[in-house]
Amino acid sequence: MRCPNILMIVSDQQRRDSVGAYGSPICRTPNMDRLAAGGMTFDRAFTPTGLCSPVRASFFSGVYPHAHKVLTNVALHPIRESLAPSADVVTPALKSAGYRMGYVGKWHVSHHDSPLDFGFDDYFSLGDYMTWRRGQGIPIPDAMLDYTVQRAEVDPAPVASSQTAWLADRAIDLIDGYARVGGAPFFLRLDFHGPHFPNVVSEPFKSMYDPSSIPPWPNADDTLSGKPAVHRMKRRHWRTDTMRWSDWQPLVATYFGEITLIDDQVGRVLDTLETLGIAQDTLVIWTTDHGDTIGAHGICNKDYTMYNEIYSVPLIVRWPGRIPAGSRDVNFVHHLLDLSATVREVATGSAPTSGHGRSLLPLFRQQPPADWPRDAYCEFHGSHMGLYSMRLLTTDSHAYVYHPNDIDELYDHRVDPHELVNLAEDPASKPVLDDLRRRMVGWMAATEDHLYNEWTVDWLTQDPALSSAAPGRRKTAW
């Protein structure tokens, strides 16, 4: 049987609750919803880390950031690390299986090497769009290049000349070319810049949602009482500490508008598969790299906090004849890690035996293995404000965040789904906290996290047996 084509669509910084298939009452995503109606929606997909470059590098390397070493965004202080082509396990596997490889849009995996250096056959970048736009004489608003504050502006370009449409056009051109040549399957990544801020959006999408109609997030008025200091520092850093919900409303409305614009262009790409008669032979994956707070807890962006809005992400997969239409999966999934293993098994016929992800094929068949993870382990290492280690463990009922240099966080999702009350210092919650800490140590050991050392294990478990087994300092007399 011929390997399927693989179309992987990745948005940037999109909240799970912005999608109709996940219950959004406001933001309209009819094409993402039709993808869900024809495939499988994952209800417990988590990003391994809430930062662009590290998680994108995790897809290509198949391991957590602490293993591939891209800890912050490429070219960003304090660690200017990029993923080397030699660390890529996905592209060689697909090329050896005969796949033609195309990449369109945001890369952000290496500051030095492009997808072409990684082995892709075709690549159209965000920079290529800017060059094209200048050639068309379309002005580029200053806001499009301003990442210092949350922005919501009108793009003077018509929709057909917007970055989003231009990327969809390039994807459509590649799909059409691959289909007409025939013979070999294709793998195509289509990575949009949005809805990552600055949200500079063409009309009518910029004004599609009335700001006054956007209700506050249930945790918009979080006082951050009893929470780590970095949460308050983040508010000051992004200058949101004096913002009211009326200040957030136009930002969220434009964010939703850009999501609907992306959805509109995704629809054109999906229609192309139908027109060319290859939809039945194409595995379509749609997800994002991570979510966004955009006013939840009174903060913006995704760094230095590990809230559900950032780490619980949308993931929808359609594979006609292999995935039941309209199905939902409730197992814990580490999305880009597991997708790395999945596309390799689809291409080669064998599930990878190394790396930190697991192929989703058993879940596609609705036959999860008995040893499938019953929780999700995520990490963060730092960003604009410098290095800062955090780890997250999410279970059916709780979320635990380990802060090596501050108080921890513990939220009971059964009574506090919006993570307002930190129970980590509550004596009544100590049995739950102790269990989650021991489970986190297990994840650290299994993935060889550099935080798995004598001091961390001793602090998290207070178990001398586990502490003595952990790698760490040697008892040396100086």
Side-chain angles (χ1 to χ4, degrees):
M1 179 179 176
R2 178 178 176 268
C3 292
N5 305 311
I6 303 174
L7 170 61
M8 186 171 176
I9 303 167
V10 182
S11 58
D12 190 353
Q13 204 153 309
Q14 183 173 356
R15 290 172 61 117
R16 179 179 181 272
D17 59 5
S18 69
V19 182
Y22 285 99
S24 173
I26 299 175
C27 191
R28 297 190 288 276
T29 56
N31 292 296
M32 297 172 189
D33 299 346
R34 75 152 145 150
L35 199 64
M40 180 174 284
T41 303
F42 289 82
D43 288 325
R44 287 184 176 147
F46 286 81
T47 181
T49 186
L51 198 63
C52 302
S53 293
V55 71
R56 291 165 183 271
S58 284
F59 172 75
F60 284 100
S61 66
V63 296
Y64 277 99
H66 68 254
H68 63 59
K69 308 302 181 187
V70 182
L71 301 183
T72 63
N73 281 341
V74 295
L76 178 72
H77 71 282
I79 295 181
R80 296 176 173 86
E81 188 65 53
S82 294
L83 191 72
S86 60
D88 178 11
V89 296
V90 172
T91 311
L94 270 64
K95 286 185 74 70
S96 67
Y99 275 80
R100 289 163 294 180
M101 307 288 291
Y103 202 106
V104 176
K106 180 170 179 174
W107 173 234
H108 221 195
V109 170
S110 171
H111 190 54
H112 315 290
D113 301 299
S114 79
L116 299 177
D117 299 304
F118 274 64
F120 278 77
D121 302 304
D122 301 286
Y123 173 45
F124 294 95
S125 71
L126 299 181
D128 291 335
Y129 167 73
M130 290 300 192
T131 300
W132 174 87
R133 180 169 173 143
R134 291 186 185 97
Q136 298 295 308
I138 304 172
I140 299 174
D142 291 341
M144 285 188 77
L145 306 175
D146 182 6
Y147 290 86
T148 62
V149 66
Q150 195 100 32
R151 300 289 291 269
E153 308 283 348
V154 174
D155 186 349
V159 168
S161 298
S162 68
Q163 183 187 79
T164 305
W166 188 88
L167 295 175
D169 286 343
R170 302 291 76 73
I172 289 169
D173 289 344
L174 287 179
I175 291 171
D176 183 72
Y178 295 149
R180 291 186 188 282
V181 172
F186 66 80
F187 173 85
L188 177 63
R189 275 278 297 256
L190 171 56
D191 282 49
F192 295 100
H193 175 274
H196 190 298
F197 73 87
N199 300 111
V200 181
V201 185
S202 299
E203 294 290 11
F205 295 93
K206 167 64 175 69
S207 304
M208 181 166 286
Y209 299 99
D210 177 9
S212 66
S213 70
I214 307 295
W217 308 122
N219 48 20
D221 293 328
D222 190 354
T223 65
L224 303 182
S225 175
K227 296 186 176 184
V230 73
H231 295 219
R232 292 178 289 279
M233 292 171 60
K234 184 175 175 180
R235 276 184 178 174
R236 293 195 296 271
H237 176 83
W238 289 104
R239 295 177 292 227
T240 66
D241 47 341
T242 61
M243 290 177 64
R244 300 180 178 180
W245 183 247
S246 58
D247 300 314
W248 286 107
Q249 283 177 307
L251 301 175
V252 177
T254 306
Y255 177 83
F256 284 168
E258 185 158 10
I259 289 170
T260 302
L261 171 58
I262 291 170
D263 181 87
D264 188 62
Q265 298 304 311
V266 168
R268 294 179 55 229
V269 178
L270 297 179
D271 288 345
T272 298
L273 300 178
E274 298 286 350
T275 300
L276 295 172
I278 59 174
Q280 293 297 311
D281 302 318
T282 303
L283 165 62
V284 181
I285 300 165
W286 173 73
T287 189
T288 188
D289 52 359
H290 52 75
D292 194 349
T293 46
I294 195 165
H297 305 280
I299 58 180
C300 79
N301 216 10
K302 68 276 185 178
D303 38 25
Y304 301 99
T305 56
M306 302 190 83
Y307 287 121
N308 218 37
E309 291 88 353
I310 303 167
Y311 282 80
S312 177
V313 294
L315 172 60
I316 300 171
V317 182
R318 185 184 74 185
W319 192 1
R322 301 294 294 270
I323 294 177
S327 56
R328 299 190 83 99
D329 184 87
V330 297
N331 293 284
F332 283 98
V333 169
H334 296 82
H335 79 317
L336 287 184
L337 280 175
D338 292 344
L339 289 172
S340 175
T342 302
V343 299
R344 283 180 280 158
E345 181 174 5
V346 168
T348 66
S350 300
T353 56
S354 62
H356 295 147
R358 296 185 64 169
S359 172
L360 299 176
L361 263 64
L363 304 190
F364 293 172
R365 298 189 292 265
Q366 299 182 308
Q367 297 173 341
D371 63 345
W372 194 267
R374 56 193 181 97
D375 41 35
Y377 180 62
C378 313
E379 60 186 45
F380 178 77
H381 300 275
S383 186
H384 301 75
M385 297 192 299
L387 294 177
Y388 188 91
S389 289
M390 303 166 68
R391 300 293 185 270
L392 165 68
L393 185 72
T394 301
T395 70
D396 287 338
S397 57
H398 290 80
Y400 166 60
V401 183
Y402 170 49
H403 290 257
N405 298 297
D406 206 331
I407 60 172
D408 288 346
E409 297 171 77
L410 176 66
Y411 303 104
D412 186 340
H413 285 166
R414 297 168 298 183
V415 297
D416 181 24
H418 304 295
E419 301 176 323
L420 288 163
V421 181
N422 182 12
L423 300 173
E425 303 289 300
D426 175 19
S429 299
K430 189 176 186 304
V432 173
L433 186 64
D434 289 346
D435 174 61
L436 295 182
R437 283 173 165 170
R438 291 176 68 90
R439 288 164 70 167
M440 179 172 283
V441 166
W443 272 100
M444 289 179 175
T447 63
E448 298 183 302
D449 191 332
H450 56 254
L451 284 188
Y452 181 64
N453 57 55
E454 183 176 334
W455 297 282
T456 301
V457 174
D458 179 65
W459 168 252
L460 288 177
T461 68
Q462 270 114 81
D463 187 327
L466 287 175
S467 180
S468 62
R473 62 183 174 181
R474 299 288 183 265
K475 304 294 194 299
T476 303
W478 297 94

